[in-house]
Amino acid sequence: MTKVSKSLKSRTRRTAIIAVAAVGLGACNMATGDLYPAIGSRVQNFENIGAVREYRQCNNDAMVADQSARTESAPARYTQSAQLLAKCEAGLGERASLVPVEERMRNYALGVENHFKGGDVVQARANLEKFKATFADKDLYYADGSSFVDTMEILLGLRDYTALGEFSVANVNSTVKSELRRVRYWKTN
């Protein structure tokens, strides 16, 4: 063999080895970037499920405090329950969309009511405003068909209940209307 053919063979061999190595390394690079995409997705799902479980457990604790407040007629327990409900909502953070909106609305509304029952009218007003901002153009309705937002606005003094036609326009429970009418009557007579 001549030097040229040996040199040509070694160059060809070297080029073939480099080509095989480049293809092999290129394939490795393509695989390593997204080798286990399902793991990241599963981790995210477990974190989301954990956040929802934590929210619901927190709400269960708040419901226990609410039930205790009812049986013991203890205003401090109502406030404790309301604070727990606010903590549960805050704990969700960016994952709030994972919990059904109506479930969150009911819990938030219970927190507003419990602040009111606990005597913390200022916090009840603030939380009602947050409720209206968070769940814009949405409302909850009591079993008798009265509006949560209308009822709480009147009870918290956010509407002028002394105005003559205010009760006719507001979707408020008839018992609340009659009590507020009684108060208005005795204030003027």
Side-chain angles (χ1 to χ4, degrees), residues 57-72:
Q57 181 58 49
C58 182
N59 281 326
N60 287 340
D61 295 343
M63 296 302 169
V64 168
D66 178 65
Q67 187 61 37
S68 173
R70 288 181 200 193
T71 57
E72 297 173 17

Side-chain angles (χ1 to χ4, degrees), residues 128-143:
L128 180 62
E129 292 304 320
K130 286 179 190 174
F131 176 91
K132 292 188 316 187
T134 303
F135 308 109
D137 300 326
K138 293 184 181 179
D139 198 356
L140 293 171
Y141 296 94
Y142 295 109

Side-chain angles (χ1 to χ4, degrees), residues 2-183:
T2 65
K3 284 187 173 183
V4 174
S5 66
K6 282 185 183 180
S7 169
L8 185 60
K9 280 185 180 180
S10 78
R11 278 190 210 161
T12 306
R13 224 183 254 156
R14 215 178 306 151
T15 306
I17 291 172
I18 291 173
V20 168
V23 169
L25 289 175
C28 288
N29 285 337
M30 289 176 18
T32 58
D34 216 7
L35 188 59
Y36 301 110
I39 290 176
S41 175
R42 286 183 183 158
V43 168
Q44 185 66 34
N45 286 342
F46 284 128
E47 289 173 355
N48 290 344
I49 290 169
V52 171
R53 275 191 190 142
E54 190 175 310
Y55 173 78
R56 290 193 172 135
Q57 181 58 49
C58 182
N59 281 326
N60 287 340
D61 295 343
M63 296 302 169
V64 168
D66 178 65
Q67 187 61 37
S68 173
R70 288 181 200 193
T71 57
E72 297 173 17
S73 298
R77 300 261 179 170
Y78 281 117
T79 303
Q80 177 190 15
S81 172
Q83 289 169 343
L84 270 171
L85 288 164
K87 178 183 168 190
C88 299
E89 180 70 20
L92 273 177
E94 294 178 2
R95 294 189 170 121
S97 63
L98 298 173
V99 178
V101 173
E102 192 166 313
E103 180 181 346
R104 288 181 51 230
M105 286 175 67
R106 283 192 310 268
N107 292 328
Y108 218 101
L110 181 61
V112 172
E113 288 177 350
N114 284 350
H115 272 299
F116 180 68
K117 291 175 186 176
D120 191 354
V121 176
V122 173
Q123 190 61 49
R125 284 178 182 160
N127 283 5
L128 180 62
E129 292 304 320
K130 286 179 190 174
F131 176 91
K132 292 188 316 187
T134 303
F135 308 109
D137 300 326
K138 293 184 181 179
D139 198 356
L140 293 171
Y141 296 94
Y142 295 109
D144 65 354
S146 59
S147 163
F148 163 74
V149 172
D150 286 351
T151 301
M152 292 312 296
E153 283 179 343
I154 287 178
L155 291 175
L156 294 170
L158 297 174
R159 283 194 184 179
D160 182 16
Y161 67 85
T162 60
L164 195 54
E166 187 65 33
F167 296 130
S168 301
V169 176
N171 183 9
V172 180
N173 182 302
S174 59
T175 306
V176 172
K177 286 180 186 180
S178 67
E179 281 299 308
L180 291 172
R181 283 186 180 123
R182 186 182 63 76
V183 168

